[in-house]
Amino acid sequence: MSQLLHTMIRVGNLEHSIEFYTQVMGMTLLRKSENAQYEYTLAFVGFGEESTGQAVIELTYNWGTDSYDLGNGFGHLAIGEEDIYERCKAIEAAGGKITRAPGPVAGGTTEIAFVEDPDGYKIELIQKKAMSEGLG
């Protein structure tokens, strides 16, 4: 069976992004590699390895590029949480930016919140008890 392995996002400050995803979001730095010939560094972060069925995030740092135009095509990453209210408190306490406070989705009952990473990427937190019900 096929498996979603990772989502790649380009970052302007790799160390700052690794710190955010590990210290603020609670992920683990799974591996990091550098390619001097093509001047980029990759770091993979996640809640577990792809070999365990987890999808991870590939942080790509192209040397010398400190910012990107995020455009309007990319939406967000989504993470299931046992308690989005407590998770948002912990994220704020760790210096993270909550852009939408926890609560029901407009027109529905699923509880969500949004966080923003150092490069401006949005991360949706979804209350796990409602994940299988969809966002209605």
Side-chain angles (χ1 to χ4, degrees), residues 12-68:
N13 181 318
L14 185 60
E15 295 311 314
H16 196 218
S17 293
I18 290 171
E19 180 181 335
F20 171 80
Y21 283 99
T22 58
Q23 303 303 309
V24 176
M25 296 305 297
M27 295 179 184
T28 300
L29 175 60
L30 302 170
R31 62 190 174 280
K32 188 175 172 183
S33 64
E34 188 173 283
N35 187 310
Q37 180 181 0
Y38 293 101
E39 300 184 338
Y40 67 84
T41 304
L42 306 179
F44 290 81
V45 294
F47 296 110
E49 293 279 354
E50 298 100 321
S51 62
T52 66
Q54 297 284 325
V56 304
I57 301 171
E58 174 188 331
L59 305 172
T60 298
Y61 173 65
N62 293 298
W63 301 359
T65 304
D66 62 0
S67 66
Y68 290 92

